[in-house]
Amino acid sequence: MKAIRVHAFGDPEVLRLEEVPTPRPGPGEVLVRIHAIGVNPVETYIRAGTYARLPALPYTPGNDCAGVVEQVGPDVNEFKPGDRVYTGGSLAGSTYAEFTLCKTAQVHPLPENVSFAQGAAMGTPYATAYRGLIQRADARPGEIVLVHGASGGVGTAAVQLARARGLRVFGTAGTDEGRNLVREQGAHEMFDHSAPDHFEQIMKATSGRGVDVIVELLANVNLAKDLTILAKGGRVAIIGSRGRAEIDPRDAMQRDVDLRGMVLPNTPPAELASIHAALVAGLENGTLRPVIGKEFPLAEAAQAHRAVMKPGAIGKIVLVIGK
Ligand code: NAP
């Protein structure tokens, strides 16, 4: 099969398309023929060699994909060849390829009304948005949530989840196109995170009360000011950060604020299973509709890595097999 291989950490050009053996499923394993692959920012940090946990070289990148079950291991009853599925994780973290091997718990049914490209947006972005918004920040119907960075893969997912749950949803994006897109996903009010006064505008939109929950996608830039626009008992789900932040702890003290960090791999298996049960239900009932911004062929993984780190996000970036 064809797969992207990385032999040395570095620039996007280290992503090379090569021929490798197709894996075979053992007990409890499922082999998925991939149609579309989700490209996540973390895969660029790993490729560059700057992430905390790095794979042994050479490796094939990727966690998320959607496709069709090709073959199942001897004792697998949950899936059969031909089933449409999406994955969240794979055995060797290796979805930039024509096939990937998964444990059954990493495979989830993909409803007929959802495209493979949309399925490739589920494993990391939607699961992260659910984990941050609902399991970590405990967002409840009737509360106000600010999705700080709402135009990308995780942000659009958080907006759809929050709206379906009955929250009042504020979002931010850096471009008009991004703000329009997020409004279409259900945000009640949009702000421009590149405008220094957007924190004041958000406070004004709550009549000075503050927001109950912030889903934070760039904490190093925003965390200090986030603490000044929370209501009493407010929670921040810290999902993304690309550097250090200095905060005034008194801002947190005065509002009884909770800072709740998360990384998806820390999610206990039972809670992860519950996340995917909720996500599949959301796909089936149409409240979750992943937005695909750009598609690249597998051979252009380097271009996809450059695109995912550029400002002006419009939903999810995916690699498509056979494009
Ligand atoms: P993405 O699709 O590339 O989106 C990035 C988002 O960040 C866009 O909405 C972008 O908005 C926004 N942004 C840019 N400047 C911002 C600012 N000053 N304030 C707030 N937001 C800003 O990436 P993603 O997949 O959604 O991931 C977002 C972040 O979460 C990344 O840092 C990623 O590594 C992290 N993440 C963490 C986990 C975890 O387990 N903790 C899981 C998945 C992702 P514009 O482009 O419109 O400016």
Side-chain angles (χ1 to χ4, degrees):
M1 68 169 185
K2 291 199 167 49
I4 296 288
R5 300 291 283 166
V6 174
H7 292 269
F9 298 113
D11 291 341
E13 284 63 37
V14 300
L15 300 166
R16 286 200 233 130
L17 193 64
E18 294 180 1
E19 198 66 38
V20 298
T22 305
R24 295 176 66 84
E29 294 173 0
V30 176
L31 181 68
V32 177
R33 177 186 286 272
I34 298 176
H35 287 249
I37 301 142
V39 176
N40 295 294
V42 69
E43 291 138 26
T44 73
Y45 320 150
I46 294 171
R47 185 217 69 231
T50 58
Y51 198 58
R53 291 181 305 276
L54 293 176
L57 294 167
Y59 75 99
T60 294
N63 280 301
D64 302 343
C65 73
V68 172
V69 173
E70 178 80 3
Q71 218 183 332
V72 297
D75 58 347
V76 173
N77 302 313
E78 298 91 329
F79 297 98
K80 59 178 187 324
D83 286 350
R84 299 174 91 247
V85 294
Y86 75 86
T87 72
S90 69
L91 270 174
S94 51
T95 56
Y96 287 26
E98 289 179 319
F99 294 91
T100 194
L101 201 56
C102 301
K103 290 184 282 184
T104 49
Q106 294 171 318
V107 182
H108 310 283
L110 185 69
E112 285 295 334
N113 58 323
V114 185
S115 71
F116 290 119
Q118 288 179 305
M122 299 306 293
T124 298
Y126 274 77
T128 298
Y130 193 99
R131 176 78 179 152
L133 176 76
I134 293 164
Q135 293 185 340
R136 296 290 292 137
D138 190 23
R140 291 167 229 145
E143 290 190 319
I144 303 176
V145 61
L146 169 66
V147 181
H148 216 163
S151 50
V154 179
T156 49
V159 166
Q160 292 174 1
L161 284 162
R163 183 65 199 256
R165 203 173 175 80
L167 282 98
R168 183 157 182 80
V169 185
F170 293 178
T172 72
T175 63
D176 279 339
E177 208 184 348
R179 286 187 287 279
N180 289 338
L181 172 94
V182 182
R183 255 185 225 105
E184 285 163 22
Q185 304 319 309
H188 296 93
E189 301 212 30
M190 284 303 294
F191 304 87
D192 178 358
H193 50 227
S194 66
D197 70 341
H198 76 275
F199 294 93
E200 288 75 22
Q201 291 173 25
I202 290 166
M203 249 343 230
K204 213 165 146 198
T206 68
S207 306
R209 173 188 171 277
V211 302
D212 300 292
V213 171
I214 299 179
V215 171
E216 184 51 72
L217 281 312
L218 199 55
N220 55 309
V221 173
N222 296 319
L223 190 59
K225 290 280 257 187
D226 283 349
L227 298 182
T228 68
I229 60 163
L230 283 162
K232 283 216 177 83
R235 290 90 69 201
V236 187
I238 304 175
I239 294 181
S241 187
R242 293 182 178 164
R244 298 173 68 83
E246 187 177 309
I247 63 164
D248 183 343
R250 283 196 172 153
D251 289 329
M253 291 155 63
Q254 277 162 10
R255 296 169 181 79
D256 281 16
V257 156
D258 279 343
L259 302 185
R260 301 184 183 171
M262 63 149 286
V263 289
L264 192 61
N266 285 348
T267 310
E271 288 175 53
L272 194 61
S274 148
I275 289 173
H276 285 288
L279 296 182
V280 172
L283 289 174
E284 282 169 350
N285 68 28
T287 52
L288 303 183
R289 308 160 308 276
V291 180
I292 305 306
K294 285 199 184 99
E295 294 185 3
F296 294 86
L298 179 62
E300 291 176 17
Q303 282 91 315
H305 269 210
R306 276 192 216 97
V308 80
M309 293 307 282
K310 277 197 189 132
I314 299 290
K316 183 76 206 161
I317 292 177
V318 295
L319 297 169
V320 180
I321 303 282
K323 194 178 156 120

